[in-house]
Amino acid sequence: MSNPITIEDIAAALGVSKTTVSRAISGKGRIGEATRTRVLEYIEKNNYRPNVVAKGLAQRRTYNIAVVWPGDYIIEDLPFFQKCLVGMSEVTSGYGYDIIVSVVAGDDISSLKRIIENRKVDGVILTRTLVDDKPADYLLESGVPFVAIGDSLNEQIITVDNDIFDACRELTSIIIGKGHTKLALIGGSSNHMVTRNRYGGFVAAFEKAGKKVDESLIFLDQGNEQKLIEIVKHLVAEKVDGVICMDDKLAGHVIGICRYSNIKIPRDIKLASFCNSNTLENAAVSVTSLNFDDRNLGAVATRMLMELIDGESVKSRKLKNYEVIMKESTK
Amino acid sequence: MSNPITIEDIAAALGVSKTTVSRAISGKGRIGEATRTRVLEYIEKNNYRPNVVAKGLAQRRTYNIAVVWPGDYIIEDLPFFQKCLVGMSEVTSGYGYDIIVSVVAGDDISSLKRIIENRKVDGVILTRTLVDDKPADYLLESGVPFVAIGDSLNEQIITVDNDIFDACRELTSIIIGKGHTKLALIGGSSNHMVTRNRYGGFVAAFEKAGKKVDESLIFLDQGNEQKLIEIVKHLVAEKVDGVICMDDKLAGHVIGICRYSNIKIPRDIKLASFCNSNTLENAAVSVTSLNFDDRNLGAVATRMLMELIDGESVKSRKLKNYEVIMKESTK
DNA sequence: TTGTAGGCGTTATCAG
DNA sequence: CTGATAACGCCTACAA
């Protein structure tokens, strides 16, 4: 049925060459003001749309970027990715780009590989960074422009991140400042770069206060709820002042355990989370936590990638804004 | 730098024509077994990858589908979309397709429009359906193949959905069967088709039990927490047996209100949710709810779309499996 | 069974 | 300022 009109149709209708039409559209190359408006008017009237695929073939561009999306269902992580995505989408559409999602679960980067090998995208955004980062390594090797959200140990990788370190240090400092100095820290995968930074911020707050971190109160790579139960009981027995969880998943578990064990927050123990996901809104206590502007993070990452694709040189960035949200759990 | 090799390079290297190479790859058209393997081996050895964009231009295909993604941050909705997406991704990669996300917030379908007008995709999946469905109307008009997840009043629209109606009826029936017949129903946007079906299932359960629904206990288009507070207090004053929320966002609010108002669930009032999002895991009570296989839903929708794109005729489907999860809140 | 030539819709090169 | 003409990389009649 209704085949879309092409640049050639326009050329024929207007008695000019394809080249001229192309120039009128792209704005590149010299062209008479008269013919230019004539073409543009015709385009407007017949609502012509350039074929982006054909354009891409000629320019060796796809006008797509890939966004690596987590394939797991950890609910506390979703709001972050969602907010990032919205920010990304706002930027891409301004550039005439679209977003292809590459769902990556665990170490299986076959989806990403396919997309890259098929040359479906001009660049990639990694939405989290790992210590042993398979996707990043692959992308570096393949030479595709990419930006990673999160910190990296590899200087070659262009990254953008919230200032996790500072934020975590500040939150910890505030709690220390309230006189709660015997603090435990519970964190997730130590293969996530963010875990390192959170840990670093925690330690830095102690240093700043001239105190020493009690290493026996640091628990990383936690996720298993059974082990958490023991840990929480242990902490209460040890009479720690408070516990800081690196994310809301852990904080949620701790709340659940406390409720079940009849431990009262904040009476018996204080609680804070290094990452607010809004998943704890219906929890038994409202939780002190950190808030970041993830939508902006996604937007900035995308702008950086766009510049990278355009051949500009781009430097890693750290976004400075965060909020410390004080709630009942540390009262 | 390293320009990928093309079909022409292979042809030249092997002393055959481009056509022959193309045939060896696609499997279409007659070709000698000998030359065929010769080409395939060469491809393997030099790990040649066809340029999907060029292929698409020639075939008038993009090997992309669009998935309309919600632009809002309603956390209780994210798991559903996430699970759908994973299912979709599994299917598309089997077909050599990729997923472009179209972030649509409210009535602003400009993102979707751009994607369609730019001909970036061969088809679209709508991840929710509305009573007044702007995206669906647009897609119908534009003639792009699409499948909608969720029910529709428009027969022209090809849909696939969980059997919301049956599931809601069953859950309601169970609660009625426990002797709780004075039930309230709180629901979200009545512009969402799913709201209608949930309501329908609720009503059907009453009919099946030979009872009449008390219309004064039906509250749709709720979201505002302030109004919910009044409603909950009203319900308690009216001594209703229980309240069913159409989703976890509402259920979460109700839990919060009850806790604040010192109303005990399930002692003072029973509670159930028509849609389990796992966001209530840390809530004060565990909530009776419905579980669906959303990943499969996404997978089925995608398979249907693939068939549609391949020109096959596809009929709307309703997926039958769901689970009723009985928890403390209705004890 | 294989090859030739033209087309998919643009952009880019190089003359005029 | 404008226009042929050749890419871009692949597919597909039609011929051989």
Side-chain angles (χ1 to χ4, degrees):
Chain A
M1 60 196 84
S2 76
N3 260 343
I5 66 172
T6 75
I7 227 171
E8 189 153 16
D9 300 329
I10 303 174
L14 262 43
V16 297
S17 77
K18 295 196 295 181
T19 316
T20 306
V21 178
S22 176
R23 278 201 270 257
I25 295 167
S26 68
K28 290 177 191 167
R30 276 165 260 295
I31 183 174
E33 192 52 43
T35 40
R36 177 209 191 70
T37 42
R38 206 155 62 92
V39 172
L40 259 29
E41 271 170 12
Y42 186 90
I43 284 176
E44 180 68 24
K45 202 163 297 169
N46 303 62
N47 64 27
Y48 157 82
R49 297 283 163 179
N51 182 324
V52 182
V53 172
K55 180 178 170 188
L57 182 61
Q59 297 184 144
R60 293 154 154 277
R61 282 211 179 191
T62 64
Y63 292 96
N64 289 139
I65 63 168
V67 170
V68 173
W69 193 263
D72 45 59
Y73 299 130
I74 300 174
I75 198 168
E76 290 81 3
D77 288 345
L78 297 182
F80 169 76
F81 293 106
Q82 168 73 6
K83 289 175 194 165
C84 280
L85 180 67
V86 171
M88 294 171 185
S89 165
E90 286 169 2
V91 174
T92 51
S93 55
Y95 281 86
Y97 266 74
D98 290 296
I99 294 174
I100 286 182
V101 288
S102 168
V103 176
V104 167
D107 270 352
D108 178 15
I109 60 171
S110 58
S111 150
L112 179 60
K113 269 187 171 158
R114 233 178 33 80
I115 290 172
I116 300 301
E117 288 174 351
N118 282 346
R119 280 159 285 172
K120 294 281 284 266
V121 297
D122 302 333
V124 179
I125 293 181
L126 254 33
T127 45
R128 61 163 61 132
T129 49
L130 307 172
V131 176
D132 172 26
D133 205 328
K134 291 264 173 18
D137 293 343
Y138 171 70
L139 291 174
L140 272 179
E141 191 186 359
S142 72
V144 182
F146 76 101
V147 170
I149 292 179
D151 234 341
S152 175
L153 300 172
N154 188 336
E155 295 273 330
Q156 301 172 73
I157 299 178
I158 298 172
T159 62
V160 55
D161 200 5
N162 290 317
D163 198 339
I164 306 283
F165 184 95
D166 266 17
C168 293
R169 188 184 51 185
E170 178 157 340
L171 176 50
T172 309
S173 285
I174 291 175
I175 294 175
I176 291 176
K178 289 182 150 210
H180 312 309
T181 55
K182 191 166 181 185
L183 294 178
L185 178 67
I186 303 179
S189 170
S190 56
N191 191 37
H192 285 48
M193 280 302 297
V194 71
T195 301
R196 292 203 170 196
N197 285 335
R198 287 169 178 159
Y199 176 61
F202 180 83
V203 171
F206 276 84
E207 281 172 1
K208 207 175 130 199
K211 308 204 181 288
K212 244 187 102 49
V213 170
D214 182 347
E215 293 288 343
S216 76
L217 298 179
I218 309 289
F219 305 90
L220 298 190
D221 293 299
Q222 297 306 316
N224 176 324
E225 191 153 7
Q226 202 51 45
K227 261 199 77 180
L228 263 186
I229 294 178
E230 295 167 30
I231 292 175
V232 171
K233 293 199 166 158
H234 170 72
L235 294 179
V236 173
E238 288 285 318
K239 299 207 166 120
V240 305
D241 297 320
V243 50
I244 296 183
C245 292
M246 286 200 184
D247 58 51
D248 279 357
K249 181 185 171 74
L250 293 164
H253 280 162
V254 168
I255 292 175
I257 293 166
C258 286
R259 189 157 51 94
Y260 186 78
S261 315
N262 223 0
I263 301 163
K264 293 276 184 237
I265 301 170
R267 194 196 62 188
D268 304 326
I269 194 169
K270 316 294 173 195
L271 174 68
S273 167
F274 273 164
C275 180
N276 174 29
S277 64
N278 298 322
T279 51
L280 260 30
E281 278 180 354
N282 301 306
V285 226
S286 59
V287 178
T288 290
S289 64
L290 291 171
N291 233 6
F292 299 95
D293 188 349
D294 301 323
R295 177 161 151 264
N296 184 48
L297 181 59
V300 171
T302 309
R303 255 180 247 118
M304 288 168 66
L305 181 58
M306 289 296 140
E307 291 168 8
L308 213 53
I309 290 173
D310 284 342
E312 301 171 31
S313 89
V314 175
K315 280 198 293 262
S316 290
R317 293 184 53 181
K318 189 137 287 177
L319 272 30
K320 281 296 174 186
N321 47 342
Y322 58 82
E323 301 172 327
V324 180
I325 314 280
M326 301 303 294
K327 294 277 194 174
E328 200 192 333
S329 69
T330 50
K331 270 224 176 99
Chain B
M1 59 194 85
S2 76
N3 260 341
I5 65 173
T6 74
I7 227 171
E8 189 153 15
D9 300 327
I10 302 174
L14 262 42
V16 296
S17 77
K18 296 196 295 180
T19 317
T20 307
V21 178
S22 175
R23 277 200 270 257
I25 295 167
S26 68
K28 289 176 191 167
R30 275 167 260 297
I31 183 174
E33 193 50 43
T35 41
R36 177 209 191 72
T37 43
R38 206 155 63 93
V39 172
L40 259 28
E41 271 170 13
Y42 185 91
I43 284 177
E44 179 69 24
K45 202 163 299 172
N46 302 63
N47 62 30
Y48 157 82
R49 297 282 162 179
N51 182 323
V52 182
V53 171
K55 181 179 168 187
L57 181 61
Q59 296 183 147
R60 295 153 155 276
R61 281 211 180 191
T62 64
Y63 293 96
N64 289 139
I65 63 168
V67 170
V68 174
W69 193 264
D72 46 58
Y73 299 131
I74 299 174
I75 198 169
E76 290 80 2
D77 288 345
L78 297 182
F80 170 76
F81 292 107
Q82 167 75 3
K83 289 176 195 165
C84 279
L85 180 67
V86 172
M88 293 172 186
S89 164
E90 286 169 1
V91 174
T92 51
S93 56
Y95 280 86
Y97 266 74
D98 290 296
I99 295 174
I100 286 181
V101 288
S102 168
V103 177
V104 168
D107 270 353
D108 177 14
I109 60 170
S110 58
S111 150
L112 179 60
K113 269 188 171 156
R114 234 179 31 82
I115 290 172
I116 299 302
E117 287 173 352
N118 282 346
R119 280 158 286 173
K120 294 279 285 262
V121 298
D122 303 332
V124 179
I125 294 181
L126 255 34
T127 45
R128 61 163 60 133
T129 50
L130 306 172
V131 176
D132 172 27
D133 206 327
K134 291 264 174 15
D137 292 343
Y138 171 71
L139 291 175
L140 271 179
E141 191 186 357
S142 72
V144 182
F146 76 100
V147 170
I149 293 179
D151 234 341
S152 174
L153 299 170
N154 187 336
E155 296 273 329
Q156 300 172 74
I157 298 177
I158 297 172
T159 63
V160 55
D161 200 5
N162 289 317
D163 198 338
I164 307 282
F165 184 94
D166 266 17
C168 293
R169 187 184 53 185
E170 178 157 340
L171 175 51
T172 309
S173 284
I174 291 175
I175 295 175
I176 292 177
K178 289 180 150 214
H180 312 309
T181 55
K182 191 164 182 185
L183 293 177
L185 179 66
I186 303 179
S189 169
S190 56
N191 190 35
H192 285 48
M193 281 301 297
V194 69
T195 300
R196 293 205 169 195
N197 284 335
R198 287 168 177 159
Y199 176 62
F202 181 84
V203 171
F206 276 83
E207 279 172 1
K208 208 176 128 200
K211 309 205 183 287
K212 244 186 106 44
V213 169
D214 182 346
E215 294 288 343
S216 76
L217 298 179
I218 308 289
F219 305 90
L220 297 190
D221 293 297
Q222 298 306 316
N224 177 323
E225 191 154 6
Q226 203 50 46
K227 261 200 76 182
L228 263 188
I229 293 177
E230 294 167 30
I231 292 174
V232 170
K233 293 198 167 160
H234 170 72
L235 294 179
V236 172
E238 288 284 318
K239 300 210 166 119
V240 305
D241 297 320
V243 50
I244 296 182
C245 292
M246 285 199 183
D247 58 51
D248 278 357
K249 181 186 171 76
L250 294 165
H253 279 162
V254 168
I255 292 175
I257 293 165
C258 286
R259 191 157 51 94
Y260 187 79
S261 315
N262 222 0
I263 300 164
K264 293 276 184 237
I265 301 171
R267 193 196 63 190
D268 304 327
I269 194 169
K270 315 295 173 195
L271 173 68
S273 167
F274 273 163
C275 181
N276 173 31
S277 63
N278 299 322
T279 51
L280 261 29
E281 278 182 352
N282 302 307
V285 225
S286 60
V287 178
T288 291
S289 64
L290 290 170
N291 233 6
F292 299 95
D293 187 349
D294 300 323
R295 178 162 150 262
N296 184 49
L297 180 60
V300 171
T302 309
R303 254 179 248 119
M304 287 168 66
L305 180 58
M306 288 296 138
E307 292 168 7
L308 213 54
I309 290 173
D310 284 342
E312 301 171 31
S313 89
V314 175
K315 280 199 293 263
S316 290
R317 293 183 53 181
K318 189 139 285 179
L319 271 30
K320 281 297 176 185
N321 45 343
Y322 58 82
E323 300 172 326
V324 180
I325 314 280
M326 302 302 294
K327 295 278 194 174
E328 199 190 334
S329 69
T330 50
K331 271 230 174 95

